[in-house]
Amino acid sequence: MKILVIEDSQIKFNLIRGFVAEKYPHATVIRGDSYNSGIIALHEASYDIVLLDMTLSVYDSKHGGIAIEDMTFGGEEILKEARRKKIPAKFIVITQYDAFPRNEKEVSFTELSAELKKEFPSLVLGCVRLDASSTNWKQEISNFLTTS
């Protein structure tokens, strides 16, 4: 299994990579650490699964620096590109946030999850809230991978 992880946080990437290595030791894990590098990775190779952060830095942060420009719905924009380019991978959206600001109001994680599954039914397997203090996210990802 070839997995692309599009995640701008090194800490979250390490958690995800560690989980994948433990649960799926034969999987190959590639990282895109921004919106731009995620798009490039999707165009350059084929993946079975994409673990996709919703809020992404636009550009890679170099040498451990902090990227200053974020796209709140960068993951959604990547899904639009994947649909447009007919990329055959399946996506699991991962986020640490409970809510997202959109047009003067907030969209809850539950609402966003329902929207993404409705808008991208052939791409999105589901959405997972990653809470580093819990292991529930690991089981949720496993469940999505088992049913894909």
Side-chain angles (χ1 to χ4, degrees):
M1 177 173 10
K2 192 170 180 184
I3 299 174
L4 173 62
V5 179
I6 303 176
E7 171 58 65
D8 56 350
S9 163
Q10 184 66 47
I11 293 168
K12 283 174 40 187
F13 173 73
N14 289 343
L15 287 171
I16 293 165
R17 181 181 55 194
F19 160 69
V20 171
E22 178 184 309
K23 184 80 174 173
Y24 307 96
H26 299 293
T28 301
V29 177
I30 308 296
R31 181 181 184 196
D33 60 354
S34 69
Y35 169 82
N36 281 340
S37 63
I39 290 289
I40 291 167
L42 282 172
H43 287 272
E44 290 182 342
S46 294
Y47 300 92
D48 301 301
I49 298 291
V50 179
L51 301 176
L52 175 64
D53 190 12
M54 179 51 61
T55 302
L56 291 165
S57 301
V58 176
Y59 303 103
D60 295 357
S61 56
K62 299 294 180 197
H63 311 295
I66 298 172
I68 48 178
E69 190 176 352
D70 283 340
M71 296 175 69
T72 303
F73 295 97
E76 185 174 16
E77 294 304 314
I78 287 176
L79 288 167
K80 288 176 184 176
E81 177 72 3
R83 179 177 57 197
R84 185 176 78 77
K85 291 288 193 174
K86 297 179 177 25
I87 292 172
K90 298 298 182 189
F91 291 75
I92 299 172
V93 177
I94 300 175
T95 185
Q96 65 185 8
Y97 298 112
D98 292 321
F100 302 84
R102 181 191 284 161
N103 301 332
E104 309 288 324
K105 67 173 201 156
E106 285 195 339
V107 177
S108 73
F109 170 79
T110 304
E111 292 169 322
L112 181 65
S113 179
E115 285 177 16
L116 293 176
K117 286 190 278 188
K118 182 178 178 184
E119 187 174 349
F120 307 100
S122 64
L123 294 174
V124 175
L125 295 175
C127 299
V128 173
R129 190 175 168 287
L130 192 154
D131 177 355
S133 67
S134 168
T135 59
N136 291 344
W137 62 272
K138 295 178 181 181
Q139 187 58 51
E140 290 178 47
I141 291 173
S142 291
N143 291 346
F144 288 129
L145 291 176
T146 301
T147 60
S148 69

